[in-house]
């Protein structure tokens, strides 16, 4: 009876620790998405260091083929950026190591050297990995919502 009680207590501690770690992971990833979006609004460029040291694979809202993004990322700059992220949902794949985020990205923007996108509305799926204590983008899929538009970008420029 004593061994069963000790085993049960041990399992409860493990489950509680797992749940707390998963909740912390979810909050960290959500906050990162919000903070990165706010950074772009303020500075009109994507924050450096957002991507995994291994780079990322991406499907862009403009359509086209899969893109391999290097570790230094897509360091886009904008003439204007008024995009909001909404309804962020995070699925924990490995607590404190790998997470999948789904959300909506809506608004308007003008990437430098490209035409303005006045009705940008996309569904976003991103895989994040934790590297050296920080969450990094490992994969992204940006898919236009019917009636909205994506970007005009079609390939990684070197």
């Amino acid at each position: 009876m004593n061994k069963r009680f000790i085993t049960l207590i041990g399992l409860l501690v493990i489950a509680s620790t797992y749940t707390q770690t998963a909740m912390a992971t979810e909050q960290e990833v959500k906050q990162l998405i919000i903070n990165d979006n706010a950074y772009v609004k303020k500075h009109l460029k994507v924050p450096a260091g957002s991507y995994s040291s291994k780079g990322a694979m991406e499907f862009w809202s403009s359509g086209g083929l899969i893109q391999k993004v290097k570790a230094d990322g897509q360091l886009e700059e904008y003439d204007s950026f008024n995009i909001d992220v909404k309804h962020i949902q995070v699925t924990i794949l490995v607590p404190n190591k790998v997470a999948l985020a789904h959300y909506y990205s809506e608004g308007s923007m003008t990437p430098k050297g490209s035409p303005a996108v006045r009705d940008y509305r996309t569904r976003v799926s991103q895989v994040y990995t934790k590297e050296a204590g920080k969450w990094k983008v490992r994969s992204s899929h940006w898919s236009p919502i019917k009636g909205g538009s994506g970007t005009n970008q079609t390939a990684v420029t070197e």
Side-chain angles (χ1 to χ4, degrees), residues 54-58 66-70 74 138 156 158:
K54 297 175 184 170
M57 300 302 286
E58 295 193 337
I66 195 166
Q67 300 294 320
K68 171 73 173 153
V69 178
K70 294 181 181 179
Q74 288 293 98
R138 188 70 175 102
V156 172
E158 306 248 355

Side-chain angles (χ1 to χ4, degrees), residues 24-136:
T25 297
E26 180 179 357
Q27 286 307 108
E28 288 173 9
V29 171
K30 280 183 178 181
Q31 196 59 54
L32 175 68
I33 293 165
I34 292 166
N35 291 349
D36 281 357
N37 192 71
Y39 181 93
V40 178
K41 278 184 170 183
K42 182 176 181 180
H43 301 283
L44 298 177
K45 63 182 178 180
V46 173
S50 299
Y51 283 82
S52 166
S53 62
K54 297 175 184 170
M57 300 302 286
E58 295 193 337
F59 285 110
W60 295 337
S61 60
S62 55
L65 302 175
I66 195 166
Q67 300 294 320
K68 171 73 173 153
V69 178
K70 294 181 181 179
D72 56 3
Q74 288 293 98
L75 301 179
E76 297 106 350
E77 292 188 18
Y78 301 89
D79 290 322
S80 70
F81 189 89
N82 188 27
I83 301 288
D84 293 310
V85 293
K86 300 177 179 180
H87 310 294
I88 302 168
Q89 300 292 313
V90 178
T91 302
I92 309 307
L93 303 176
V94 180
N96 208 34
K97 291 187 181 182
V98 183
L100 171 64
H102 293 97
Y103 59 96
Y104 298 99
S105 184
E106 300 177 338
S108 62
M109 68 169 130
T110 305
K112 281 203 183 280
S114 295
V117 182
R118 292 180 179 21
D119 187 22
Y120 184 77
R121 290 189 284 162
T122 62
R123 296 168 291 224
V124 183
S125 299
Q126 290 185 301
V127 174
Y128 288 86
T129 58
K130 202 163 204 183
E131 297 178 9
K134 296 186 181 209
W135 290 101
K136 305 290 182 171

